[in-house]
Amino acid sequence: MKTIWHYDSYLPAVPEPYRMLLGEGQTPLVKSGYIGKELGIPNLYFKLENLNPTGSYKDRFAAVLVSEMRAAGQKVCIATSSGNTGAALSAYCAAAGITCILVVVDGAPLPKVKQMQLYGAQILMVKDFGKNAEMTTRVFEDLEKICVSRQLPLPISAFRYCPSAMQGVQTLVYEINEELSGPADHIFSPAGGGGLTLAVTKGVLSSSSRTKVHCVQPEGNDTIASQLRNGLLRAMAVNASVTTVSGLQVASVIDGDEVITNCRALGGNGYVVGDSDVFKWQKQMAQKEGIFSEPAGAVALAGLENAISRNEINQNETVVCLVTGSGFKDMGSVDRNFNLPEVRTISHEESISNIKDWFNG
């Protein structure tokens, strides 16, 4: 069985007995059946990171981080999360016998919080964390001091805090290269603090390919994308993240500066998309491709649509959009955005009548 440890030459040196294996990695790369043709991109692929063990790409990060903790004999994990990181760390810590304490962002989706709780994590939700740049920075700094004083890592899925564990995320690029028998021309990546996008650029650079990596952000959390597009060198924090796309509500810079540097070096660009466009593509992916993604997982596709409208993609090029997490992570978003009809109990006779009416058009 292949796992991310198949690429151990690119990962931190963790002795094999301490490596965590819950089935992470080797997620499918699925060619679009309909959306690609509609957009005029016949070679459009979706990397289904929603099919990792806890439902997101963060399992790649958690697998390496918790493996390192096991090897170091550490018994307590203190971390922050907007949802997916917490779920991943909770699961891997549970499997490793490590106590997990999570400080989660204000308003983190309840399904994600309950997932963490069921794995046994202790949850602390901090007011304005993840929404306000000053509070977000303060939380990170205070937790970092606690972890340093106790010789613990602070598992934030960003290179600024956990560069070795983030190498686990880079493995998705090596999988894409293997599945395509060569590199893609473009990879579109959603970004909050930029950790995923930076991991993708580092994976591309370490594999000596020249894939263009594009950073896509919702307009309510545009800390990186516009700066990249406008030729600036540094990301810019926002006073408050107002996007309703959960998981990308990171008002501070974190990995943004290096994202700009690496994306620009690879010929990538920045794209800012509206929340309404994200929800539109979330629905389209479900109804036309059978892919149930959380809103953040549709951000890359919204970015591709933006790129096409700008004539920045050639129709003959191979494009990969990262689907970062499962739709089951944020069912509240489904309820709020799609006005799905209520399902009521009816008689057998009425059901047969409805089916016949449907056929009769």
Side-chain angles (χ1 to χ4, degrees):
M1 177 182 71
K2 276 188 177 181
T3 72
I4 63 170
W5 298 102
H6 173 70
Y7 308 101
D8 59 3
S9 61
Y10 294 101
L11 296 175
V14 177
E16 193 165 341
Y18 298 102
R19 295 177 182 177
M20 295 299 301
L21 303 170
L22 293 183
E24 63 285 338
Q26 298 303 321
T27 56
L29 183 70
V30 176
K31 190 171 185 178
S32 170
Y34 294 94
I35 291 174
K37 295 173 185 176
E38 291 179 357
L39 291 176
I41 307 294
N43 293 314
L44 170 62
Y45 291 82
F46 299 107
K47 180 63 169 167
L48 302 186
E49 290 295 286
N50 55 311
L51 299 183
N52 276 298
T54 75
S56 84
Y57 80 91
K58 298 295 182 77
D59 289 341
R60 298 176 186 268
F61 167 81
V64 177
L65 189 285
V66 176
S67 296
E68 292 180 308
M69 293 190 71
R70 286 182 78 192
Q74 295 164 334
K75 298 299 183 182
V76 178
C77 175
I78 302 172
T80 69
S81 178
S82 60
N84 287 336
T85 300
L89 287 170
S90 299
Y92 282 83
C93 283
I98 294 173
T99 298
C100 188
I101 302 170
L102 295 170
V103 177
V104 300
V105 301
D106 189 359
L110 191 58
K112 295 182 182 181
V113 174
K114 287 185 177 295
Q115 185 182 10
M116 300 175 214
Q117 289 177 311
L118 190 58
Y119 288 132
Q122 300 179 41
I123 307 299
L124 304 169
M125 184 176 288
V126 176
K127 182 176 174 57
D128 291 333
F129 175 46
K131 294 181 178 180
N132 175 275
E134 182 180 352
M135 178 56 67
T136 300
T137 300
R138 181 179 170 188
V139 169
F140 286 157
E141 289 178 347
D142 288 346
L143 291 180
E144 191 171 20
K145 291 176 184 176
I146 292 172
C147 289
V148 167
S149 70
R150 288 161 176 77
Q151 297 183 314
L152 294 172
L154 177 55
I156 299 169
S157 55
F159 282 88
R160 174 181 170 185
Y161 296 97
C162 298
S164 59
M166 285 298 292
Q167 292 174 37
V169 181
Q170 294 175 206
T171 58
L172 67 84
V173 175
Y174 313 140
E175 292 175 12
I176 290 171
N177 291 347
E178 285 188 2
E179 290 165 311
L180 291 176
S181 299
D185 295 302
H186 302 269
I187 295 177
F188 283 79
S189 171
L196 170 61
T197 307
L198 183 54
V200 174
T201 65
K202 287 178 177 287
V204 169
L205 291 167
S206 66
S207 60
S208 300
S209 58
R210 295 298 299 174
T211 300
K212 294 180 179 179
V213 179
H214 306 288
C215 175
V216 189
Q217 290 191 290
E219 59 189 12
N221 196 82
D222 178 18
T223 58
I224 306 169
S226 289
Q227 303 293 95
L228 171 60
R229 174 165 289 277
N230 294 331
L232 301 174
L233 299 178
R234 300 180 68 85
M236 181 176 63
V238 294
N239 290 331
S241 176
V242 295
T243 179
T244 57
V245 179
S246 66
L248 302 185
Q249 299 153 327
V250 185
S252 50
V253 170
I254 309 185
D255 283 333
D257 292 349
E258 198 172 354
V259 169
I260 290 173
T261 298
N262 284 11
C263 282
R264 187 167 289 142
L266 291 168
N269 216 326
Y271 297 93
V272 180
V273 297
D275 285 10
S276 61
D277 291 323
V278 173
F279 298 129
K280 175 190 75 174
W281 285 115
Q282 181 189 14
K283 185 175 182 179
Q284 291 292 302
M285 288 171 65
Q287 297 190 347
K288 294 187 176 181
E289 303 286 352
I291 298 172
F292 188 30
S293 166
E294 67 174 337
V299 166
L301 184 55
L304 172 60
E305 179 189 36
N306 190 312
I308 293 169
S309 71
R310 294 172 179 267
N311 296 315
E312 294 175 351
I313 300 291
N314 185 300
Q315 66 176 6
N316 296 318
E317 293 178 311
T318 300
V319 178
V320 175
C321 287
L322 303 182
V323 180
T324 51
S326 169
F328 293 111
K329 295 280 194 172
D330 194 357
M331 292 301 294
S333 175
V334 174
D335 294 335
R336 290 189 300 271
N337 292 297
F338 301 123
N339 297 314
L340 300 178
E342 180 182 356
V343 178
R344 61 184 181 88
T345 302
I346 60 177
S347 68
H348 172 64
E349 290 76 16
E350 188 177 354
S351 71
I352 296 301
S353 175
N354 286 345
I355 292 171
K356 288 179 178 179
D357 289 344
W358 185 87
F359 277 109
N360 291 331

